[in-house]
Amino acid sequence: ETGVTQSPTHLIKTRGQQVTLRCSSQSGHNTVSWYQQALGQGPQFIFQYYREEENGRGNFPPRFSGLQFPNYSSELNVNALELDDSALYLCASRPDPMNTEAFFGQGTRLTVV
Amino acid sequence: GENVEQHPSTLSVQEGDSAVIKCTYSDSASNYFPWYKQELGKGPQLIIDIRSNVGEKKDQRIAVTLNKTAKHFSLHITETQPEDSAVYFCAALSTGNQFYFGTGTSLTVIP
């Protein structure tokens, strides 16, 4: 196990709703990244947080937002859910942004109906 | 930005045979290349990685090679076992400090 935990494991939402996903990073890791993994695809980078500040963002619209807390846990918020948002959402933690090894949680499977 | 391509998308081998998965990348500034194994219902698990100043790295039955000039890297699994069956992803760490993943290879090891 990586020590990165995500909640919930599964979630079903209706189009137009909002969702919050949570991630607890590995102890001592201050950098958390979020990825979206559509079925049959590789993970796509959403954004990264380092010491409570966003320090990198992929090609996702502003309705995807996040937070990082003083204990380095993190949230991913998605507003105005669309059917295409259905995916596995992965959180990865690193000791710091310059450290290359990333450890993933088990993911949250989001289904939008 | 970086673009990572991965082949093949599916691979079936007999138990005991070797498996090879290949990836190419586009950004010559990328300097770190991990490989992840993802089992059904789980998150990706780091199995081996290589940095741009090294040409080859081995860990028991798993090895990775990197050709910086050609911008490609490969995963080699020898003496495959049924528990090696999973989806494997290559990735490249870009200058923007984010990972770009390949589209994955579904490996099946036939007992």
Side-chain angles (χ1 to χ4, degrees):
Chain A
E1 298 300 322
T2 63
V4 180
T5 58
Q6 293 185 241
S7 63
T9 54
H10 296 84
L11 199 54
I12 299 175
K13 288 286 190 178
T14 303
R15 188 172 50 184
Q17 285 187 314
Q18 178 265 345
V19 68
T20 297
L21 311 182
R22 295 179 174 83
C23 171
S24 293
S25 61
Q26 190 173 115
S27 178
H29 287 194
N30 58 28
T31 302
V32 174
S33 305
W34 286 92
Y35 290 81
Q36 180 194 67
Q37 186 177 21
L39 203 61
Q41 299 294 317
Q44 298 287 319
F45 177 72
I46 302 175
F47 45 58
Q48 177 170 283
Y49 278 83
Y50 168 59
R51 294 193 171 184
E52 303 178 60
E53 297 286 332
E54 183 181 298
N55 79 334
R57 188 177 183 93
N59 189 26
F60 280 80
R63 60 189 185 85
F64 285 78
S65 63
L67 282 173
Q68 186 178 32
F69 301 98
N71 67 354
Y72 303 135
S73 65
S74 179
E75 285 182 356
L76 164 65
N77 300 289
V78 187
N79 293 321
L81 283 167
E82 301 177 359
L83 297 180
D84 285 349
D85 295 332
S86 296
L88 181 69
Y89 288 85
L90 295 162
C91 165
S93 80
R94 292 153 69 179
D96 57 67
M98 299 311 297
N99 193 297
T100 50
E101 288 190 26
F103 299 92
F104 284 84
Q106 82 283 5
T108 294
R109 172 69 64 186
L110 173 65
T111 302
V112 182
V113 297
Chain B
E2 175 68 279
N3 181 44
V4 177
E5 296 189 356
Q6 182 173 348
H7 300 280
S9 56
T10 61
L11 181 60
S12 291
V13 299
Q14 292 289 333
E15 182 177 358
D17 286 350
S18 295
V20 180
I21 303 170
K22 298 182 179 182
C23 288
T24 60
Y25 62 99
S26 60
D27 186 353
S28 57
S30 292
N31 58 12
Y32 173 70
F33 307 92
W35 284 89
Y36 287 88
K37 175 183 181 182
Q38 188 172 26
E39 296 175 318
L40 201 61
K42 297 185 177 180
Q45 176 191 3
L46 179 67
I47 57 171
I48 196 167
D49 55 15
I50 192 166
R51 300 177 195 280
S52 58
N53 59 347
V54 175
E56 184 174 359
K57 182 177 178 181
K58 189 174 182 180
D59 182 4
Q60 299 183 356
R61 297 186 297 109
I62 297 174
V64 56
T65 58
L66 171 66
N67 183 325
K68 279 195 65 179
T69 303
K71 289 189 280 188
H72 66 70
F73 57 113
S74 300
L75 176 71
H76 304 253
I77 306 175
T78 59
E79 301 172 23
T80 53
Q81 301 168 4
E83 52 265 37
D84 294 330
S85 296
V87 179
Y88 291 81
F89 291 97
C90 62
L93 184 63
S94 73
T95 50
N97 210 26
Q98 62 177 264
F99 287 98
Y100 289 84
F101 285 82
T103 50
T105 297
S106 178
L107 173 65
T108 302
V109 179
I110 304 165

